[in-house]
Amino acid sequence: MNSRSLSIVRFIALALCIEVPLILSYFWMTGDFSVPRFNEWPISEWLINYQAGFIRRGLLGEVLLRIYSPSSLIRPLYIAMFFSYAIYTSTFILVYLKSGIRNTNVLLVAVLIQGGIFHMGMTSDFYTRKENIFLIFFAIQCLLYLQIKSASFAMQKYWLGIYLASLFIFTPSLVLVHEAYIFLSFPISALLLWILALERPQDRYLRAAVGLLFCETLIVFLICSVFHGDLAMSQLIWDSLPLTDRLQLSPAAPYSTFGAIGSLGWGLNQHLSTLYGVVSSGGIFIWIFFAFGNALVLTYIYIAIDPPKINGSSTQYLHWILVGSLVLMPMFLVGSDWGRWIASISNQLILLMFVLHRSDMFFKPDVNPISIQLSLFKGFRGRAFLFSLCVSYGLIFQMPECCADPRTIFAPYMTYFSF
């Protein structure tokens, strides 16, 4: 097969991996509203509101209640979920295009990664969680960063202002959407701002902005921790929902608090028991498998991007990617849904890898033993072998969102052929 034919095949494969999940997601989320379109637990988490007083995680649920009550809140939520998926897909691709990377294999593997765009749409998982809002916001930050890098000198201050304003306005709002934002996405957002501050030493206020942003986020997080909620508040929140929604979420007991709303009354011991369950149930081995698989995909992307060298030495590109991985690791202490955390880390690191392709950190050398060992795979055969492994991994397996079970680790293609 000549290079032109191979390029056409890659383009068709990429188009299918993006468009088919979007089409499936659209028809699923806008289909028969009498059937729950995704798991009742995350649905109930979106519906937490302030009807029992100020409480953590209640911002978006209060907005939904104010706009749509007394009608069903679940129906507009389904539609919002589809649009959140479509927006993340669009921003992800825009970051890739603005990064200047022109490698179809990189984008294909990035789309196919477990917990990525392809698997989000094929199973209606991951994008139905609040982490998808965090991914969208980080992708927008990446786009603003790239816009600052490409803008003329006169316009850079303008885009810097928009970038900082979005950080200081939306970051505390996202903590109110889910207080775990401080673990799930804030660290890598702060890291990107710190990298920009290092690139622009003349703008000393950028370093101060990192500290101010951390203080602002921490204060809102502590406020959410104080207003943790209890069983009485969760019952009041549940009672504030339209009866039709309660019947759909919990038909057997529509008057008793249910799902994520009920979890507002959990204490520290119950939280720690979920983490213990990851190990005691044996699910830890499934998560290790998928963590290794996603790490393999990230390795291929790094190798295929092939960041430039300085006098034969590696730049700081890999250094900052590894720092990004490290600052996101505390999210595994948040809860037992480790599939969600692996997906969140992977998506954010891919965006970081794309955006730092335009970073001035390329001009600073870095002696990194890991990059030296990865160079063994940079030959054509090694790269082709890794690419084949990554595509096979992406197409054969399906990472559970939570509650690891060996019977659910394979992609459920037969579901679409069952009538």
Side-chain angles (χ1 to χ4, degrees):
M1 184 180 294
N2 58 44
S3 59
R4 180 177 175 79
S5 299
L6 189 59
S7 298
I8 293 173
V9 169
R10 287 172 179 165
F11 177 79
I12 293 173
L14 181 60
L16 288 174
C17 288
I18 295 173
E19 292 181 13
V20 170
L22 277 170
I23 293 170
L24 289 172
S25 176
Y26 172 78
F27 284 106
W28 179 245
M29 286 298 169
T30 59
D32 181 7
F33 291 120
S34 65
V35 179
R37 313 315 291 178
F38 57 99
N39 189 283
E40 289 88 346
W41 186 281
I43 291 177
S44 63
E45 184 173 282
W46 286 99
L47 301 180
I48 297 170
N49 55 52
Y50 295 148
Q51 294 304 297
F54 179 81
I55 193 172
R56 63 193 176 105
R57 307 184 189 181
L59 180 60
L60 289 183
E62 183 67 17
V63 172
L64 280 171
L65 192 69
R66 293 296 181 94
I67 295 175
Y68 295 104
S69 181
S71 302
S72 171
L73 309 181
I74 295 179
R75 293 187 180 188
L77 181 59
Y78 292 149
I79 297 171
M81 290 300 93
F82 166 72
F83 279 104
S84 75
Y85 173 50
I87 291 170
Y88 175 62
T89 301
S90 301
T91 52
F92 184 92
I93 294 172
L94 281 174
V95 171
Y96 168 79
L97 293 174
K98 287 185 69 67
S99 70
I101 301 169
R102 293 296 179 265
N103 189 323
T104 309
N105 285 354
V106 167
L107 186 55
L108 178 62
V109 167
V111 166
L112 283 175
I113 194 171
Q114 297 295 332
I117 289 172
F118 177 76
H119 289 285
M120 283 183 183
M122 293 298 289
T123 60
S124 294
D125 278 342
F126 300 106
Y127 74 86
T128 59
R129 295 284 191 166
K130 290 182 176 179
E131 298 95 79
N132 201 56
I133 304 296
F134 306 159
L135 289 177
I136 291 171
F137 183 52
F138 183 61
I140 291 172
Q141 292 172 60
C142 292
L143 288 173
L144 289 172
Y145 173 93
L146 292 170
Q147 187 62 34
I148 293 167
K149 302 295 290 183
S150 61
S152 63
F153 181 79
M155 291 297 293
Q156 285 181 3
K157 294 291 184 182
Y158 170 78
W159 288 109
L160 266 172
I162 294 178
Y163 176 52
L164 292 175
S166 65
L167 279 176
F168 281 95
I169 292 171
F170 291 106
T171 296
S173 300
L174 291 176
V175 178
L176 297 177
V177 169
H178 198 305
E179 75 283 0
Y181 175 76
I182 198 170
F183 299 104
L184 300 180
S185 196
F186 172 74
I188 203 165
S189 296
L191 178 66
L192 185 61
L193 177 58
W194 180 250
I195 291 172
L196 185 63
L198 293 179
E199 291 176 330
R200 302 175 66 90
Q202 72 277 14
D203 296 328
R204 297 183 179 180
Y205 63 88
L206 289 176
R207 299 194 182 197
V210 178
L212 289 173
L213 186 65
F214 176 78
C215 292
E216 179 189 48
T217 307
L218 182 60
I219 289 170
V220 179
F221 173 78
L222 292 175
I223 292 172
C224 290
S225 300
V226 172
F227 293 93
H228 180 274
D230 53 36
L231 290 175
M233 294 184 74
S234 65
Q235 185 63 54
L236 288 173
I237 293 170
W238 179 254
D239 292 340
S240 71
L241 303 180
L243 180 59
T244 53
D245 290 348
R246 285 181 278 152
L247 283 168
Q248 189 176 51
L249 291 174
S250 181
Y255 297 101
S256 300
T257 185
F258 169 83
I261 295 176
S263 72
L264 291 173
W266 286 7
L268 180 61
N269 290 338
Q270 287 169 295
H271 170 74
L272 294 176
S273 68
T274 64
L275 294 176
Y276 171 72
V278 173
V279 179
S280 62
S281 66
I284 185 69
F285 299 106
I286 294 176
W287 299 136
I288 289 173
F289 169 77
F290 283 108
F292 177 79
N294 277 28
L296 187 71
V297 175
L298 294 172
T299 300
Y300 172 78
I301 292 173
Y302 166 77
I303 291 171
I305 288 176
D306 195 18
K309 297 181 179 297
I310 301 173
N311 298 324
S313 299
S314 298
T315 61
Q316 291 194 8
Y317 180 80
L318 181 60
H319 168 83
W320 289 108
I321 301 301
L322 294 175
V323 172
S325 305
L326 184 63
V327 299
L328 289 171
M329 286 302 169
M331 75 170 65
F332 286 101
L333 301 176
V334 171
S336 61
D337 299 349
W338 282 16
R340 293 164 59 191
W341 314 150
I342 294 171
S344 180
I345 288 177
S346 301
N347 280 279
Q348 291 181 98
L349 286 180
I350 290 173
L351 288 169
L352 186 65
M353 292 171 83
F354 287 170
V355 76
L356 291 188
H357 189 259
R358 296 286 299 276
S359 171
D360 292 341
M361 293 301 171
F362 276 138
F363 303 108
K364 297 182 179 180
D366 181 53
V367 179
N368 197 313
I370 297 179
S371 63
I372 295 173
Q373 299 194 10
L374 290 179
S375 64
L376 297 174
F377 294 95
K378 289 190 177 181
F380 175 78
R381 290 185 179 180
R383 192 178 299 188
F385 175 69
L386 273 182
F387 175 73
S388 301
L389 278 181
C390 292
V391 171
S392 300
Y393 167 70
L395 292 175
I396 294 173
F397 297 99
Q398 166 59 42
M399 183 169 64
E401 183 191 68
C402 68
C403 312
D405 186 332
R407 295 168 296 181
T408 63
I409 66 172
F410 295 100
Y413 297 117
M414 293 307 297
T415 303
Y416 302 105
F417 299 97
S418 302
F419 300 98

